[in-house]
Amino acid sequence: MQKTIFITGATSGFGKACAHAFASDHHRLILTGRRAERLSEEAGILHETFGVEVLTLNFDVCDRNAVKSAIESLPVEWQSIDILINNAGLAAGSELIQDGNIDDWEAMIDTNVKGLLYVTKSIFPLLLQSKCPHIVNIGSIAGKEVYTKGSVYCATKFAVDALTRAMRIDLLSHGIKVSQVSPGAAETEFSQVRFKGDMVAAAAVYKGFAPLQAEDIANAVMWITNLPSHVNINDLVIMPTAQASPGYIHKVL
Ligand code: NDP
Ligand code: 8X3
């Protein structure tokens, strides 16, 4: 059955890999992000390669009015959504809490927590139009264990973990599945963003071991969203084999 998939943060990393995976399975896509050029380029490639319909919405998840009006602007034939992938997110900076940058804190809380809430609230009525509604939140190992110089990022991912559980309870009577995927270290643009364009610092994160790739997470999302209707995966913690927890990575340098 063809489904309509709404993905936040589809311009890079996990979101982009999920878009590719769902398109290759012939689903219709709504791809969102702030970088409009990347969105339209990707939409063109997926349409040409897989022949699927792709609609793009360009907004910042932190802007509640922009989120609401973008989703309200969806043409009527796109107003039933089967799967929402709440993926947009970031870590900004890596400092001890006493040295933390307040703008970085705000960016992480506004994007990872408030953005996810704004999108979910606006998409909820469209999920009700689906026969198999499913929300997949991208959490993190950082939402399970805290680590030094990651306090506020970890706090936002602990919040995603709590919201995932709470959504599952509140949405139960609507038959909406709610799942979380909680990855460990994955090589995407994540560390470039965290270290504000310092490519040397970003590359160092992944040196000496085999990190997860975006496709590993997309494969997991595909599996979770293809299970029978009576089966839900609550949470899937996925780690690189070389990583036992955020602070324990076996590196051979
Ligand atoms: P990337 O930096 O590669 O991708 C992040 C995506 O989020 C981009 O498409 C970006 O799009 C989007 N995004 C960020 N801020 C906003 C915003 N304010 N409004 C709209 N879109 C936004 O990183 P990943 O793919 O690794 O990250 C995806 C998710 O996975 C995040 O929630 C991250 O916390 C989580 N995660 C990452 C791990 C990792 O090690 N990489 C591990 C565990 C979880 P654009 O800039 O175009 O707006
Ligand atoms: C991103 C991975 O290592 O910062 O969520 O926890 S890590």
Side-chain angles (χ1 to χ4, degrees):
M1 185 187 79
Q2 189 187 48
K3 295 181 183 170
T4 302
I5 322 291
F6 188 104
I7 304 175
T8 66
T11 56
S12 166
F14 301 162
K16 185 174 178 180
C18 285
H20 191 280
F22 280 109
S24 70
D25 222 8
H26 307 294
H27 297 295
R28 300 198 315 161
L29 301 172
I30 302 171
L31 304 183
T32 78
R34 290 166 302 181
R35 286 171 286 183
E37 215 169 285
R38 280 201 189 192
L39 281 177
S40 45
E41 189 187 341
E42 199 183 331
I45 291 170
L46 295 177
H47 179 68
E48 272 198 15
T49 311
F50 301 108
V52 292
E53 287 178 278
V54 184
L55 189 143
T56 61
L57 290 179
N58 180 215
F59 61 85
D60 182 336
V61 296
C62 305
D63 181 342
R64 63 199 280 189
N65 295 321
V67 171
K68 191 166 178 282
S69 57
I71 293 170
E72 282 176 358
S73 79
L74 282 170
V76 70
E77 64 275 18
W78 289 87
Q79 287 180 9
S80 169
I81 289 174
D82 300 298
I83 301 175
L84 164 63
I85 316 264
N86 274 319
N87 163 75
L90 81 165
S94 176
E95 283 95 24
L96 299 172
I97 196 159
Q98 60 272 34
D99 302 326
N101 175 314
I102 293 177
D103 289 334
D104 286 348
W105 294 353
E106 304 250 30
M108 290 186 275
I109 293 166
D110 288 353
T111 310
N112 302 355
V113 184
K114 291 161 75 177
L116 180 147
L117 285 168
Y118 300 154
V119 171
T120 306
K121 186 166 171 58
S122 283
I123 293 290
F124 173 68
L126 311 188
L127 286 169
L128 291 183
Q129 305 306 313
S130 164
K131 290 195 172 65
C132 51
H134 198 161
I135 298 172
V136 180
N137 292 332
I138 304 298
S140 172
I141 187 64
K144 310 287 176 189
E145 299 172 62
V146 292
Y147 58 88
T148 187
K149 300 185 178 175
S151 57
V152 176
Y153 178 66
C154 292
T156 65
K157 289 299 182 178
F158 270 73
V160 172
D161 189 69
L163 288 170
T164 304
R165 296 171 197 222
M167 282 180 195
R168 200 157 38 239
I169 296 167
D170 287 355
L171 302 180
L172 192 58
S173 62
H174 293 283
I176 301 179
K177 289 190 187 187
V178 183
S179 304
Q180 179 173 245
V181 176
S182 305
E187 192 169 14
T188 60
E189 292 180 11
F190 178 83
S191 291
Q192 296 171 31
V193 172
R194 170 170 247 171
F195 296 111
K196 302 173 183 174
D198 180 341
M199 305 302 267
V200 176
V205 173
Y206 308 111
K207 272 217 178 94
F209 76 110
L212 295 170
Q213 300 299 314
E215 292 69 27
D216 299 321
I217 304 311
N219 288 340
V221 170
M222 293 305 288
W223 176 68
I224 288 174
T225 54
N226 273 309
L227 290 168
S229 62
H230 67 287
V231 181
N232 183 53
I233 300 298
N234 286 1
D235 196 359
L236 203 54
V237 179
I238 309 175
M239 303 293 283
T241 305
Q243 183 180 26
S245 74
Y248 289 90
I249 300 183
H250 181 66
K251 290 195 171 196
V252 181
L253 293 165

